Amino acid sequence: MPGSDLTRLQLPPLFNIPKSHLQCFGESVYCVASDIMSRCNSGESPLDRFIAVVTWSISTVRPVIFGVAPYNPILGETHHVSRGNLNVLLEQVSHHPPVSALHATDEGENVEMIWCHHLTPKFYGTSVEAELHGKRVLKLQNHGETYVMNSPKVLIRFLPFPWADWVGNVRIQCQESGLEAELCYRNTSFLGRRGNQRSIKGKVFESSSLKTLYEIDGQWDRTVRMKNINNGKDTVIHNAKEVISGLRAPIVKDTREIWASESALVWSDVSRGILSKSWEKAKEAKKAVEEKQRELQRERESREENWVPKHFTVSHSKEGGWECSPIQKWVPEAPIIVPL
């Protein structure tokens, strides 16, 4: 049925990649080869920093694989990883509807990130559209600047040939500097033209006068360029190969410190089954995870208890949607680290 809600759909393990949505969200922050975040903080002028934030936003977009999807996180699931001074913590703060919260801090750079994502996939016959509602907030506290942005959405098409990718508009705003950016993610392959896939176009402009300062153009999985409207100078601001090449897999520093709610632990038996292609074992392991959650839900209902997140305070309104605020000021160092 057009517009059907697919958040309750559970895929068999054959159609899962061996990681949770929480891990995918986290990887877009801590899995980068170059230190993009420090460039956001070290820019000399508000405009330099704004351009660095735009570059960082583009770097968080990763290719979508058609036909497979991450696990739907269970209620209370967490993912806690450190890379250098950057500590990242995610928690699934709601299951129906699915809402994920992210808090990342770098005390050395005095930078903070807060994301709140509410995923709403809908089926439209020949396509599935998954929209990430909610906002991403990046705070450069040394400069007193807050950047607010949204996310593109995932579009999955089955005809005339199957593909999946990021599409839609992203707006980045910084009230303190009076600067904004508009980015448009497009994929024209469904029209039969394969020459302009994963394209991005946009501009950086002044909020008050709407005067365009820079134009942005390119392919986010390759290179993205920015043109200075004033002098015509053209610069590469994003090179996807440099961002994600040479990455090292996260490793466990201390098994005793890993929480029982950690994504890698919650789904470990399912992931082992998928990686070894033991589909029956993966299916049984996934069923066990889901049944345990249903049992915990029944126990809470029998005691008339409401589940409360451990790391975030959560609110919801019809006008503002979901809001997630971290309980701690700084994210602690994690037992899982990404080697530098």
Side-chain angles (χ1 to χ4, degrees):
M1 188 172 81
S4 297
D5 181 6
L6 300 181
T7 59
R8 296 176 181 269
L9 177 64
Q10 292 293 341
L11 294 173
L14 182 64
F15 299 104
N16 283 128
I17 59 174
K19 64 179 66 175
S20 166
H21 267 293
L22 286 192
Q23 291 169 282
C24 293
F25 290 145
E27 286 173 358
S28 68
V29 174
Y30 62 72
C31 278
V32 288
S34 56
D35 195 1
I36 300 175
M37 188 54 59
S38 66
R39 276 185 275 162
C40 295
N41 198 37
S42 63
E44 293 185 1
S45 70
L47 183 56
D48 290 338
R49 293 190 293 273
F50 190 88
I51 292 169
V53 170
V54 171
T55 301
W56 169 77
S57 174
I58 296 171
S59 77
T60 64
V61 178
R62 305 295 165 86
V64 180
I65 304 173
F66 180 84
V68 290
Y71 313 127
N72 291 329
I74 63 173
L75 187 63
E77 181 179 328
T78 59
H79 185 48
H80 189 199
V81 176
S82 294
R83 182 182 186 272
N85 292 323
L86 179 66
N87 301 317
V88 184
L89 173 62
L90 299 98
E91 183 177 18
Q92 192 70 8
V93 297
S94 174
H95 190 57
H96 292 306
V99 181
S100 306
L102 177 147
H103 187 212
T105 57
D106 186 325
E107 291 191 56
E109 297 287 344
N110 205 15
V111 170
E112 181 180 33
M113 281 174 270
I114 302 170
W115 297 3
C116 189
H117 284 163
H118 171 208
L119 183 67
T120 56
K122 294 182 179 179
F123 182 63
Y124 293 101
T126 61
S127 66
V128 173
E129 182 181 278
E131 186 166 359
L132 277 175
H133 298 279
K135 62 185 178 182
R136 299 179 172 187
V137 177
L138 172 63
K139 298 180 180 181
L140 304 182
Q141 300 183 110
N142 287 345
H143 306 284
E145 294 172 348
T146 298
Y147 299 80
V148 180
M149 63 204 80
N150 63 311
S151 306
K153 54 190 175 185
V154 176
L155 182 63
I156 303 169
R157 284 190 177 270
F158 306 104
L159 296 172
F161 49 84
W163 64 267
D165 234 324
W166 296 99
V167 297
N169 299 319
V170 170
R171 179 180 290 269
I172 304 171
Q173 298 172 292
C174 179
Q175 186 175 356
E176 292 79 10
S177 64
L179 295 170
E180 292 188 40
E182 291 178 351
L183 305 174
C184 179
Y185 291 84
R186 297 185 294 181
N187 189 317
T188 58
S189 62
F190 72 95
L191 298 175
R193 301 193 301 271
R194 286 194 167 272
N196 196 28
Q197 295 184 70
R198 293 176 175 167
S199 70
I200 181 172
K201 287 185 178 292
K203 61 181 180 179
V204 175
F205 60 96
E206 295 176 347
S207 302
S208 56
S209 66
L210 302 182
K211 177 185 176 182
T212 298
L213 304 176
Y214 293 91
E215 291 180 343
I216 297 168
D217 189 20
Q219 291 171 286
W220 57 262
D221 65 330
R222 300 178 192 180
T223 58
V224 178
R225 308 183 74 89
M226 185 173 65
K227 180 181 178 181
N228 187 320
I229 296 300
N230 185 45
N231 59 24
K233 184 180 179 181
D234 195 63
T235 307
V236 174
I237 62 169
H238 172 71
N239 185 318
K241 185 176 181 180
E242 292 179 359
V243 169
I244 61 176
S245 64
L247 295 177
R248 301 173 68 182
I251 60 173
V252 177
K253 184 178 67 173
D254 190 344
T255 56
R256 296 168 298 178
E257 297 296 323
I258 292 182
W259 300 329
S261 57
E262 167 61 44
S263 295
L265 190 58
V266 169
W267 300 101
S268 58
D269 290 341
V270 186
S271 296
R272 274 193 288 267
I274 291 174
L275 292 171
S276 65
K277 293 185 167 52
S278 302
W279 302 115
E280 198 58 38
K281 289 183 179 179
K283 182 179 177 181
E284 290 302 314
K286 191 173 185 183
K287 182 180 178 181
V289 172
E290 294 162 354
E291 184 52 44
K292 182 179 179 181
Q293 291 309 297
R294 284 190 282 268
E295 181 181 341
L296 291 172
Q297 176 65 21
R298 288 191 293 267
E299 290 177 1
R300 285 193 296 269
E301 290 175 352
S302 68
R303 295 192 298 264
E304 297 183 347
E305 291 180 356
N306 291 322
W307 182 84
V308 178
K310 291 183 179 180
H311 306 285
F312 296 85
T313 57
V314 181
S315 61
H316 178 265
S317 67
K318 188 174 182 181
E319 300 77 22
W322 291 87
E323 295 281 347
C324 303
S325 300
I327 293 174
Q328 291 183 293
K329 181 179 180 181
W330 300 104
V331 178
E333 188 177 347
I336 299 175
I337 64 170
V338 179
L340 298 175

